[in-house]
Amino acid sequence: MDFTVALAQIKPKLGCVTDNCAFVEAAVARGIDEKADLIVFPELALTGYFLKDLVPEVALAVGSPEICRLRELSRKISIAVGFVEVTADYRFFNSAVYLEAGEIRHLHRKVYLPTYGLFDEQRYMARGEQFRAFDTRFGRMGMLICEDMWHLSAPYILAMDGATTLLCLSSSPGRGITEEEKLGSTIAWQKLTSTTAMFLNSRVLYCNRVGYEDGVNFWGGSEAVAPSGAVIERGRVLEEDFVMAKMEEGELRRERIFSPMMRDESLSITLKELRRIDRERER
């Protein structure tokens, strides 16, 4: 089905859950007013990114009042949002939740936690252990959190699990300047989202945050990408934005007819060769 998505390119406050919840609720209200069917927020939208020792202080259980409030709001608009999740055994995850019709339809825990350069996630949070597609009123979807998307197997698994729309929630810092005085991270992500969409015949909805934390800036540039790899709508760089994009079922149908990559993909060959590689590595 056709649907309209809003990419809420917000500027969360580090460690301020109450303020960030207010930002999210305001964006949800705007999405409802502007007739969006789905609203996507960035990675860790409820907490900010460079949390370090603040992780236990800002973590929320899936049954917390904050998440329950968003569940209620999802009766009017579907919501994908990132937060720090705490489990009953006091593990902490960089998580994203998809809410629809007053229910939690899916919870994804970030699998690939970057711990290099300016990143230090694995020191403070546990790793997720799976990638699963899930059903929504817009068709089958999959969720990725930032670094997850840079591992080719992750979107591939979701696509093979039937996802035709990939949601990527991100907190990508601006890094590197090209000869054209553009951010290197911006160019890299734009290549990645377009290539992923094209090779998997899938829509990609990428939502990145903006703002500064500890002197590091986040560059924004959220975008909706068609299954052909073409950009439908793209947000501003380094500024807050509210990107509205119409996702048409016809685009998905046309691309899967004229460029049937997923139809011809052989899961059995992939599994056979991966098992072979695994056996050879064990020798």
Side-chain angles (χ1 to χ4, degrees):
M1 64 175 288
D2 295 351
F3 65 95
T4 299
V5 62
L7 305 176
Q9 187 171 294
I10 63 173
K11 181 169 60 177
K13 290 184 181 179
L14 183 63
C16 299
V17 174
T18 300
D19 289 347
N20 293 330
C21 284
F23 298 154
V24 166
E25 288 193 28
V28 167
R30 179 176 176 181
I32 294 169
D33 288 344
E34 298 193 19
K35 310 300 182 186
D37 302 297
L38 165 66
I39 186 166
V40 182
F41 289 91
E43 174 184 15
L44 297 176
L46 298 184
T47 62
Y49 182 75
F50 287 112
L51 293 160
K52 299 182 180 179
D53 293 330
L54 285 175
V55 164
E57 305 302 319
V58 301
L60 301 171
V62 292
S64 68
E66 293 86 352
I67 300 300
C68 288
R69 170 63 178 158
L70 293 176
R71 282 179 58 185
E72 286 303 309
L73 292 173
S74 76
R75 297 183 187 279
K76 297 181 179 179
I77 184 173
S78 301
I79 302 169
V81 65
F83 69 109
V84 177
E85 177 201 359
V86 59
T87 61
D89 58 352
Y90 299 105
R91 289 186 298 162
F92 301 94
F93 294 91
N94 182 339
S95 296
V97 66
Y98 185 95
L99 308 155
E100 190 171 275
E103 299 178 356
I104 294 176
R105 290 291 174 88
H106 187 67
L107 176 73
H108 173 63
R109 294 168 175 166
K110 189 174 183 178
V111 173
Y112 294 106
L113 302 177
T115 306
Y116 58 84
L118 54 82
F119 304 107
D120 205 14
E121 286 187 40
Q122 199 164 342
R123 181 178 175 187
Y124 301 97
M125 287 183 273
R127 291 179 57 168
E129 297 180 348
Q130 63 184 30
F131 294 103
R132 299 285 171 82
F134 57 98
D135 294 319
T136 76
R137 62 193 179 106
F138 314 112
R140 199 154 170 82
M141 292 189 174
M143 283 204 298
L144 301 162
I145 302 176
C146 210
E147 186 86 359
D148 287 340
M149 189 141 178
W150 285 95
H151 293 261
L152 296 177
S153 57
Y156 176 82
I157 290 167
L158 293 174
M160 293 305 293
D161 199 19
T164 55
T165 302
L166 302 176
L167 311 180
C168 183
L169 289 66
S170 179
S171 287
S172 172
R175 293 182 292 166
I177 301 295
T178 68
E179 293 180 359
E180 295 81 19
E181 296 188 353
K182 295 181 179 180
L183 283 172
S185 51
T186 302
I187 295 171
W189 269 103
Q190 290 172 356
K191 289 179 179 177
L192 178 64
T193 54
S194 178
T195 302
T196 300
M198 180 173 58
F199 279 113
L200 298 178
N201 296 145
S202 300
R203 310 177 183 101
V204 173
L205 303 177
Y206 173 70
C207 189
N208 189 30
R209 62 162 289 181
V210 292
Y212 283 82
E213 287 180 8
D214 290 339
V216 177
N217 77 310
F218 299 87
W219 57 273
S222 303
E223 57 184 8
V225 183
S228 63
V231 176
I232 299 170
E233 297 289 347
R234 178 177 288 159
R236 294 192 293 266
V237 174
L238 302 177
E239 299 178 42
E240 290 186 277
D241 206 351
F242 196 82
V243 183
M244 297 281 289
K246 183 66 175 291
M247 312 306 294
E248 296 181 354
E249 188 70 18
E251 288 184 330
L252 180 64
R253 180 179 183 274
R254 284 192 299 273
E255 196 61 27
R256 293 210 164 195
I257 291 172
F258 293 117
S259 183
M261 303 297 185
M262 294 310 296
R263 183 198 68 188
D264 297 340
E265 185 68 25
S266 175
L267 184 58
S268 61
I269 292 175
T270 301
L271 289 171
K272 181 185 71 173
E273 293 304 311
L274 287 175
R275 291 190 191 104
R276 176 187 60 80
I277 292 167
D278 188 47
R279 288 194 302 271
E280 291 176 355
R281 284 184 174 182
E282 290 179 349
R283 290 175 185 171

